[in-house]
Amino acid sequence: MTKKIKTPNEMSFLDHLEELRWHLIRSTLAIIIIGGLAFLMKGFIFDTVLFGPMMPDFPTYHVFCDFSKLLGFSESFCNTEPQFTLQSRGMSEQFSAHIWTSIWAGFIIGFPYVLYEMWKFIAPGLHDNERQNARGFISIASLLFFTGVLFGYYVVAPLSINFLGGYSISDTVVREIDLLSYISTVKISVISCGIIFELPIIIFFLTKIGLVTPEILRKYRKIALVVVLIISAVITPPDVVSQVIVAIPVLILYQVSIYISKVVIRRDAKKQKKNVKSS
C-alpha cells in the first residue's frame, strides 16, 4: 500500500513540526557539506579571502583613495599598510577558527539552498495566487543576500579594519589583535550586511500580512534616515566619506522597499475589486 500524503490542512501541529525538522536537517547537512569543502580550501579561505582586507593592495583601498582625493577629503585610505599583527594565544584557537569559519562559509554559500528548504516548508500553506506572486523569491532573496555580503566584504570590512586596526590610545599599547577578534569583525560585517540587504523581501512579506504600508514607511522615513546614519557611524570610521558610502545603499534599499510595499497594496486592491465583481 502506498502511504497517503497529507495536505497542509490535514496535518496536525506535530506533523508540521516533523516536516520542519526534516527541512532543517537537510539545510544543516548542506551547510556541513559545503563547510567541509571550505575546510579543505584553508589557504584560499584565510590567506586570500579573510586576510585580504588587511592587505594594502586590496582593491577597495585604491577606490577609496581615488574617491577621497576627488572629493578633497582625508587621504587616510591611500596609506593602508597593516598597523597591527595577528596573534593566536590559545592552544586550539587556530583549529577552532578553521572549523567555525568553514561553517560560516558553508552557510553563506549554501544560503540559496537553505532558502529553498524554508520555501518548501512555507509554500504548501499558501494559496496558488500567493505562490505565483512569490515566484522568483529564492532568486531575488539570494541575489540581495550575496550583494549585501559583497558590500560588507568590500566596503564595511575594510573600513572597520582600517580604522579599528590603526586606532590607538597610546604609543605604549602594542597592536597585537587576536585571530578570533579579527575574524569576528569580518564575519559580522559580511553577515549583517547580507541580512540588511534582505530589507525589500522583509517589507514585501510584512506588507502582505498587513503590518506595513507605504504610508507608514514614508511617515518614518526621517527616523529611518537617522537610524541608518547612526548605524553607519557605529560600523565605520568617524569620517563623512565612510559614513556616506555605507548609508547610501541602505537608504536606496529603504526607498525600494516603499515602492515594493506600494505595488503589493495596489495588486491586493485590484484582486479585491475583481473578486467583488465576480461575486
Side-chain angles (χ1 to χ4, degrees):
M1 288 179 64
T2 57
K3 185 179 178 181
K4 182 183 176 183
I5 299 175
K6 295 181 180 180
T7 64
N9 292 331
E10 296 173 330
M11 294 173 67
S12 66
F13 177 71
L14 291 178
D15 289 332
H16 282 293
L17 282 182
E18 177 67 13
E19 188 73 16
L20 176 61
R21 185 172 76 92
W22 281 106
H23 286 298
L24 292 175
I25 288 174
R26 286 192 289 269
S27 299
T28 303
L29 284 174
I31 291 172
I32 291 173
I33 291 171
I34 298 171
L37 295 174
F39 186 86
L40 299 175
M41 302 172 64
K42 180 175 66 174
F44 175 75
I45 293 294
F46 283 92
D47 293 333
T48 303
V49 178
L50 269 179
F51 298 151
M54 64 179 287
M55 300 302 172
D57 59 348
F58 194 65
T60 306
Y61 294 129
H62 298 297
V63 176
F64 286 170
C65 178
D66 294 338
F67 189 61
S68 297
K69 287 179 179 178
L70 182 65
L71 296 180
F73 289 110
S74 169
E75 297 182 8
S76 58
F77 292 110
C78 299
N79 181 21
T80 54
E81 288 290 337
Q83 301 182 55
F84 62 91
T85 57
L86 292 179
Q87 63 174 355
S88 175
R89 294 183 298 175
M91 182 67 74
S92 62
E93 186 175 0
Q94 293 192 56
F95 181 71
S96 177
H98 192 184
I99 291 288
W100 281 106
T101 300
S102 300
I103 291 174
W104 280 108
F107 171 75
I108 292 172
I109 298 171
F111 184 77
Y113 182 77
V114 174
L115 271 183
Y116 170 71
E117 286 294 339
M118 294 301 101
W119 177 249
K120 281 179 66 179
F121 175 71
I122 297 170
L126 302 176
H127 298 295
D128 291 338
N129 62 332
E130 290 174 330
R131 282 197 293 270
Q132 217 169 21
N133 289 336
R135 189 180 299 167
F137 160 74
I138 296 173
S139 300
I140 295 171
S142 298
L143 177 63
L144 287 171
F145 178 77
F146 287 130
T147 302
V149 165
L150 291 173
F151 181 78
Y153 179 71
Y154 281 105
V155 178
V156 179
L159 288 173
S160 301
I161 292 168
N162 183 269
F163 172 69
L164 297 175
Y167 187 82
S168 176
I169 56 174
S170 171
D171 292 336
T172 307
V173 181
V174 180
R175 299 187 190 94
E176 294 178 344
I177 310 298
D178 283 344
L179 174 65
L180 293 180
S181 175
Y182 173 85
I183 291 175
S184 177
T185 300
V186 177
K187 179 186 70 180
I188 291 172
S189 299
V190 168
I191 299 294
S192 60
C193 285
I195 294 172
I196 289 173
F197 271 59
E198 294 291 336
L199 180 62
I201 297 292
I202 296 171
I203 294 298
F204 173 83
F205 283 105
L206 290 179
T207 304
K208 290 295 289 184
I209 62 178
L211 291 179
V212 168
T213 64
E215 289 72 25
I216 291 176
L217 294 174
R218 291 193 191 97
K219 180 180 178 182
Y220 293 102
R221 182 166 20 205
K222 292 182 180 178
I223 297 176
L225 173 60
V226 174
V227 171
V228 168
L229 291 175
I230 291 173
I231 294 173
S232 301
V234 170
I235 66 176
T236 62
D239 64 82
V240 177
V241 177
S242 302
Q243 292 174 20
V244 169
I245 289 172
V246 173
I248 286 177
V250 180
L251 292 175
I252 291 173
L253 285 172
Y254 189 85
Q255 190 61 40
V256 169
S257 299
I258 295 176
Y259 175 76
I260 289 173
S261 181
K262 186 177 179 181
V263 170
V264 171
I265 295 292
R266 188 187 304 158
R267 285 183 178 178
D268 288 346
K270 286 182 179 178
K271 285 177 185 175
Q272 288 178 1
K273 287 182 181 179
K274 190 176 179 180
N275 292 335
V276 169
K277 288 181 180 179
S278 60
S279 61

